[in-house]
Amino acid sequence: MKKYLLAFRNLKMMLVSKNKLLFIVFFSIALSVFGMLFYSGYFLYSFYEAGAGGRIEIKLTDPADRARVAGLVEILEKDGLPLEKLYLTEDGSDGITVMGGYNREWDDHMLCGRNHTLTEDAPSVIMAEYLVDFVEDGETPVGMRTEKDGAEFTVSGIVPYTDVECYVLPVRYYAGHYDTDRVTAWYKNNLSPAEGRNLREALQREGGIETLALANSRNPFLSSEFVSEFVQVLLIFSVMVINAFCLAYYWITGFKKKFKIYAVCGARKKDIVKIAVLQTSMLMMGGTMLGNVFFVICKLAVRPFGLVYQGSYFPYGIVSLVVLAVMLLFSDLLAKKITGTDMIYHTLE
């Protein structure tokens, strides 16, 4: 307990006597963590985009043939393949304002409400958070009625981001009430040659198809652009590690005299090392938390632009823990180095 108090008092002393220095070190840690999280998010976004599974895109000859659209959708849904996303759209002169959509990933990321199901056939709508502008502070939009293009819908769910900027209706409801000239489906895994052939034949038997394109994703590391991004992230991480080392070195050496006083007063080497690591961990954890706050704000601000991975925060938590562990490792090594000499003071004969 005394070691924790000494570590806390050292930080308190720095806050009083060298507050500018403490602020610079603390803010530098936060910026380092923010930079690492941002570039990690950029890399994760590129990785998941490049590593998506099979995709099939259908251009229809008659957008108004709703029965045929429903038949194509049924084939895509019931072919036994794990469907990740299914989008129905009509490219109008004013852009897409309403579409039919199912995205399995939204199951895990709804801010409130629920996701559409593939079998749902009701006038409900899912919206991105930044499209919600009809509620007062503190109200939930779920269950409210909203109007779009002369039609009224019930809001069933809100997601923090989407890859489409429009109202998303259930696929079956959209197919039965709107014209469709494009159907796009994404599958969890790449389609085997047999799966791709069977799916293509089943869709072509349904008819009404102008063009049909089926593509599988490549290994992202086979792309020179992706490898370049990966190397950039590694270089940035290396810079962050060097920065962490410099911060830890500057921070630990600032307490060198105090550690020697502890040694003269009878403190054991392992006690001094523990105090050094404790006070460093307090500073580093605070800076890491602030860096995460900066990144969350930035992540929310850039979500409509597709710059960073917007899924689970778990990967970012892992990155933060890795950065924190690296900083604490440096602190431990430097503290042992500084307290490694037995010559605490010189005497004159």
Side-chain angles (χ1 to χ4, degrees):
M1 186 63 183
K2 291 181 179 179
K3 300 182 186 70
Y4 289 95
L5 288 175
L6 281 173
F8 179 76
R9 286 172 181 170
N10 286 342
L11 287 177
K12 188 176 179 181
M13 179 271 294
M14 286 290 290
L15 183 61
V16 174
S17 61
K18 297 182 179 180
N19 52 1
K20 291 182 180 178
L21 174 61
L22 183 64
F23 174 79
I24 291 172
V25 174
F26 184 78
F27 200 71
S28 297
I29 295 169
L31 288 180
S32 296
V33 172
F34 168 78
M36 193 64 234
L37 290 173
F38 183 85
Y39 280 98
S40 297
Y42 177 72
F43 171 74
L44 286 171
Y45 178 81
S46 301
F47 178 79
Y48 283 115
E49 284 293 304
R55 168 177 171 168
I56 187 164
E57 186 167 338
I58 304 169
K59 176 73 174 175
L60 303 177
T61 56
D62 183 7
D65 191 349
R66 297 173 182 173
R68 195 175 299 277
V69 172
L72 294 173
V73 167
E74 189 170 350
I75 292 172
L76 293 170
E77 291 176 358
K78 296 184 178 180
D79 201 66
L81 301 173
L83 194 63
E84 287 289 293
K85 294 192 292 185
L86 179 60
Y87 290 165
L88 277 62
T89 59
E90 182 186 24
D91 298 328
S93 58
D94 297 329
I96 300 173
T97 57
V98 178
M99 63 171 286
Y102 166 78
N103 188 329
R104 188 202 58 79
E105 191 179 64
W106 293 345
D107 288 336
D108 303 321
H109 305 302
M110 301 297 294
L111 285 178
C112 56
R114 59 173 181 81
N115 192 10
H116 293 324
T117 65
L118 282 169
T119 57
E120 187 173 350
D121 186 2
S124 58
V125 62
I126 287 177
M127 303 170 61
E129 184 185 13
Y130 61 87
L131 293 176
V132 180
D133 56 3
F134 51 85
V135 296
E136 300 293 335
D137 291 340
E139 290 184 332
T140 175
V142 175
M144 289 188 173
R145 306 285 290 180
T146 183
E147 187 175 316
K148 193 71 172 179
D149 298 338
E152 194 174 64
F153 307 102
T154 301
V155 179
S156 60
I158 304 295
V159 288
Y161 72 98
T162 67
D163 51 358
V164 289
E165 297 183 4
C166 60
Y167 282 30
V168 182
L169 307 179
V171 169
R172 290 185 181 275
Y173 182 84
Y174 183 89
H177 295 80
Y178 290 84
D179 292 348
T180 304
D181 62 7
R182 191 178 303 276
V183 178
T184 310
W186 291 261
Y187 293 95
K188 183 176 182 179
N189 305 312
N190 282 339
L191 303 178
S192 68
E195 290 171 336
R197 183 174 58 254
N198 293 337
L199 185 58
R200 183 186 294 272
E201 290 174 354
L203 292 168
Q204 288 175 337
R205 282 196 299 270
E206 184 68 26
I209 296 175
E210 180 178 325
T211 60
L212 190 156
L214 193 155
N216 282 329
S217 64
R218 299 172 58 202
N219 185 331
F221 285 97
L222 296 178
S223 166
S224 59
E225 182 179 354
F226 182 83
V227 171
S228 175
E229 292 176 359
F230 180 67
V231 171
Q232 289 177 40
V233 170
L234 290 180
L235 291 174
I236 291 165
F237 183 75
S238 300
V239 171
M240 298 300 173
V241 168
I242 294 172
N243 186 41
F245 176 81
C246 293
L247 289 172
Y249 179 80
Y250 190 69
W251 178 251
I252 293 294
T253 53
F255 290 91
K256 188 173 182 179
K257 291 182 179 179
K258 188 173 284 291
F259 294 154
K260 288 185 175 182
I261 293 173
Y262 293 161
V264 171
C265 294
R268 294 172 299 176
K269 178 180 175 179
K270 67 177 183 179
D271 294 329
I272 298 174
V273 171
K274 188 171 183 179
I275 293 170
V277 174
L278 280 173
Q279 66 188 40
T280 305
S281 65
M282 292 177 186
L283 182 72
M284 298 299 181
M285 282 191 287
T288 301
M289 290 176 63
L290 182 61
N292 274 267
V293 171
F294 287 162
F295 176 70
V296 168
I297 295 172
C298 176
K299 182 170 172 278
L300 293 174
V302 303
R303 67 188 173 193
F305 308 109
L307 290 178
V308 298
Y309 174 65
Q310 295 282 353
S312 169
Y313 202 80
F314 180 76
Y316 298 119
I318 295 297
V319 172
S320 299
L321 289 176
V322 169
V323 173
L324 184 60
V326 169
M327 291 181 176
L328 294 181
L329 176 63
F330 285 154
S331 300
D332 181 72
L333 294 175
L334 290 169
K336 289 178 179 177
K337 179 180 171 68
I338 289 173
T339 58
T341 176
D342 293 329
M343 185 62 70
I344 302 301
Y345 58 91
H346 296 276
T347 59
L348 296 176
E349 296 183 0

